[in-house]
Amino acid sequence: MGEIRATATIITYNEADNIALCIESVGFFDEILVIDSGSTDDTVELAEKAGARVIHNAWPGFGRQKQIGFDQSANDWVFSIDADERVSPSLKQSLVALFSEPTRLAKKSGYKVNRCNYFMGQALRHGEGYPDWLLRLANRNQARWSEDPVHEKMQLSGESGQLIGDLDHFTEARIDSYLIKQNTYTTLQAQNLFEQGKRISGWKLFASPLVRFFKFYFLRRGLLDGIPGFVHISIGCFNSFCKYAKLLELQKSKSN
């Protein structure tokens, strides 16, 4: 039995390099549930060895896969964590303290945590990397995951609180693999925008990355994160450009 009566859910696909450390960081939960979409590496074996319960579900999209975790959890309170994330000692302390006070816990439908993104071996404390408040803990009877194919969101029927302590996020170890992942994300984002009826002009395609860079590098002081901050924000701006370029391509292909 873990220290808190809640379930930590993790969606996986070929996460052998991450899964053991992720599970170790949530080892104080009563249940650890891994939802795997067909890993071909040692993800499942490592997860089971670390004490997680593993279920298999063909990939339906990020939001729907995380909803499967909600639906299959043994507990009402569910904490969603990605395989490349770790609960920091300070966040663990906050979670244990919260669950030790049932009356306080029940006052909210869910709780946000502050994610700290690590990039090129460094914690990003400014720019778009921090603070990064995300809703990750919720009573599943009062919450549901959106069905967005990427950048899914936990949706609450009630109010949310905030927890002290960071959720550490370790992005891809290499820039080339990070860019491959971002290419997939921008394709999904463009398709999702198109299906929602959103359309893009050449002006927004040009202006969006420039506005984004000014906002995060100067206004949000991303420049204080040095070279890693500059690279991270620059890639984010390029992602914005690619997302809208792909949307524009979809518009033109459908109009022909």
Side-chain angles (χ1 to χ4, degrees), residues 12 33-37 53-57 65 68-69 72:
T12 58
L33 175 62
V34 170
I35 306 94
D36 188 77
S37 56
R53 176 166 68 95
V54 180
I55 62 175
H56 304 272
N57 192 70
Q65 193 76 330
I68 294 294
Q72 296 296 320

Side-chain angles (χ1 to χ4, degrees), residues 79 85-88 90-91 111-117 124-125 128-136 161-169 220:
F79 183 81
E85 296 172 338
R86 316 281 182 265
V87 170
S88 67
S90 57
L91 179 55
Y111 292 85
K112 294 179 179 179
V113 298
N114 196 3
R115 185 169 66 173
C116 179
N117 295 291
L124 301 180
R125 298 292 182 180
E128 60 184 336
Y130 197 85
D132 186 16
W133 288 100
L134 300 170
L135 193 59
R136 289 300 188 86
Q162 293 183 341
L163 294 174
I164 296 172
D166 289 339
L167 178 66
D168 294 330
H169 179 215
R220 297 260 309 254

Side-chain angles (χ1 to χ4, degrees), residues 196-251:
Q196 291 177 7
K198 303 292 178 62
R199 298 297 180 260
I200 183 70
S201 66
W203 168 248
K204 189 167 186 178
L205 176 68
F206 170 77
S208 177
L210 298 179
V211 171
R212 185 185 182 100
F213 186 84
F214 181 78
K215 175 183 178 181
F216 290 115
Y217 195 68
F218 294 108
L219 297 183
R220 297 260 309 254
R221 301 186 300 166
L223 56 92
L224 297 180
D225 285 324
I227 294 299
F230 175 77
V231 174
H232 189 261
I233 290 172
S234 296
I235 291 175
C237 295
F238 182 63
N239 288 344
S240 180
F241 175 82
C242 289
K243 174 181 66 178
Y244 289 127
K246 291 174 181 180
L247 177 57
L248 189 61
E249 182 181 50
L250 286 171
Q251 290 173 208

Side-chain angles (χ1 to χ4, degrees), residues 63-153:
R64 291 179 179 178
Q65 193 76 330
K66 290 186 176 181
Q67 184 61 41
I68 294 294
F70 262 25
D71 296 339
Q72 296 296 320
S73 294
N75 299 294
D76 286 339
W77 282 93
V78 182
F79 183 81
S80 176
I81 182 171
D82 292 338
D84 59 359
E85 296 172 338
R86 316 281 182 265
V87 170
S88 67
S90 57
L91 179 55
K92 174 185 175 180
Q93 185 177 9
S94 294
L95 286 162
V96 172
L98 177 66
F99 278 85
S100 70
E101 302 179 58
T103 302
R104 175 189 162 208
L105 174 68
K107 286 183 178 179
K108 305 292 184 182
S109 298
Y111 292 85
K112 294 179 179 179
V113 298
N114 196 3
R115 185 169 66 173
C116 179
N117 295 291
Y118 284 73
F119 186 73
M120 295 178 67
Q122 176 182 310
L124 301 180
R125 298 292 182 180
H126 308 89
E128 60 184 336
Y130 197 85
D132 186 16
W133 288 100
L134 300 170
L135 193 59
R136 289 300 188 86
L137 174 68
N139 184 322
R140 62 175 180 165
N141 298 312
Q142 302 173 54
R144 187 167 187 85
W145 281 97
S146 69
E147 296 190 357
D148 299 312
V150 66
H151 292 170
E152 66 288 351
K153 304 174 190 67

Side-chain angles (χ1 to χ4, degrees), residues 179-198:
L179 289 172
I180 290 171
K181 179 182 287 187
Q182 298 308 306
N183 182 46
T184 300
Y185 286 168
T186 56
T187 297
L188 291 171
Q189 287 173 325
Q191 291 173 342
N192 192 40
L193 287 172
F194 186 80
E195 290 169 1
Q196 291 177 7
K198 303 292 178 62

